[in-house]
Amino acid sequence: EVVLTQSPGTLSLSPGERATLSCRASQSVISNYIAWYQQKPGQAPRLLIYAASSRATGISDRFTGSGSTTDFTLTINRLESEDFAVYYCQQYGYTPLTFGQGTRLEIK
Amino acid sequence: EVRLVESGGGLVQPGRSLRLSCAASGFKFDDFAMSWVRQTPGKGLEWVSGVSWNGVKTEYAESVKGRFTISRDNAKNSLYLQINSLRTEDTALYYCVKDTIRWGFYYFDYWGQGIQVSVSS
């Protein structure tokens, strides 16, 4: 199965700053089939990005996905208080579908 | 408005069985594949199983093969997960999730609120 490794485990930043989250796959992900989700405490994950760089419906343009092959990045510009959460990447190029272990974005 | 509402969870003893249900509304249910994803504090998010729009194609994570059975009833807009031979490591919050395609398993644009399954003697 494709193992996704996210880094860093925890990212401490202040509102207004830029967050850069990494997701590395153990093998090349076909067609860059990577999605990103945001999860806040007590809530289900919410889809942010699919196909590595396409924003889901209603997602702010402060969220940008990029990358290819094995290295993918989620960038969040001008952090707002509502952005502090846990972020997961997921690959859907192969079954079993797999998720990264998550990056916790916390307020510094 | 898309809604996915899980039910059927609870506290069960190891070796017993459980059936999770998910009632879907707000979209054309038989146009999309569906899956179950579980979450634990230790292992994070884990895709458990998926079923194609017509129920013909099903896939499972290796950790649950032979014990879990996914199914759907399009007439009732419902998704199911039959869980047999429960193990303590099956303890998790189980989410019903909507896929974005009919055949195959991609990413999930809607999630239920989750249902807790706890396995303990």
Side-chain angles (χ1 to χ4, degrees):
Chain A
E1 71 177 44
V2 178
V3 176
L4 299 178
T5 302
Q6 291 187 242
S7 61
T10 301
L11 186 57
S12 299
L13 293 170
S14 300
E17 293 190 300
R18 173 186 297 169
T20 302
L21 288 66
S22 172
C23 175
R24 178 162 290 177
S26 59
Q27 65 189 73
S28 179
V29 179
I30 189 170
S31 300
N32 295 331
Y33 279 169
I34 288 287
W36 289 91
Y37 301 87
Q38 175 194 67
Q39 187 177 33
K40 297 180 181 179
Q43 296 184 16
R46 177 176 72 141
L47 177 67
L48 299 174
I49 299 286
Y50 62 94
S53 60
S54 297
R55 263 180 236 102
T57 302
I59 300 303
S60 166
D61 59 6
R62 295 185 300 102
F63 291 86
T64 301
S66 62
S68 63
T69 315
T70 59
D71 289 294
F72 301 89
T73 301
L74 176 67
T75 302
I76 312 170
N77 290 312
R78 303 182 306 279
L79 282 168
E80 298 182 1
S81 57
E82 67 209 40
D83 300 333
F84 292 93
V86 180
Y87 292 84
Y88 295 95
C89 58
Q90 177 225 329
Q91 68 80 23
Y92 52 100
Y94 312 90
T95 54
L97 309 181
T98 51
F99 292 85
Q101 83 280 16
T103 289
R104 179 178 304 278
L105 177 58
E106 64 176 27
I107 299 177
K108 188 173 182 180
Chain B
E1 178 197 5
V2 172
R3 287 196 73 203
L4 299 169
V5 180
E6 303 94 340
S7 61
L11 174 63
V12 293
Q13 294 179 323
R16 303 297 291 265
S17 298
L18 205 59
R19 189 195 197 205
L20 304 183
S21 299
C22 171
S25 60
F27 66 101
K28 196 170 186 303
F29 185 68
D30 58 6
D31 262 357
F32 298 95
M34 298 289 292
S35 284
W36 290 95
V37 173
R38 66 186 181 184
Q39 184 170 32
T40 61
K43 290 188 68 177
L45 293 167
E46 180 186 20
W47 178 77
V48 171
S49 181
V51 59
S52 63
W53 68 278
N54 58 2
V56 169
K57 178 175 181 174
T58 59
E59 294 203 32
Y60 299 89
E62 202 61 41
S63 59
V64 307
K65 265 182 194 174
R67 298 187 301 119
F68 288 23
T69 303
I70 192 171
S71 62
R72 63 190 295 162
D73 184 338
N74 287 346
K76 295 183 177 179
N77 287 349
S78 293
L79 176 70
Y80 306 100
L81 186 68
Q82 177 68 38
I83 308 175
N84 297 329
S85 304
L86 274 157
R87 303 170 180 170
T88 54
E89 55 263 36
D90 295 321
T91 294
L93 185 64
Y94 285 73
Y95 289 105
C96 168
V97 297
K98 173 187 168 294
D99 211 300
T100 54
I101 60 171
R102 301 186 90 192
W103 189 265
F105 309 109
Y106 270 28
Y107 55 93
F108 313 117
D109 55 355
Y110 290 95
W111 297 59
Q113 279 305 298
I115 190 79
Q116 181 67 38
V117 172
S118 299
V119 185
S120 174
S121 54

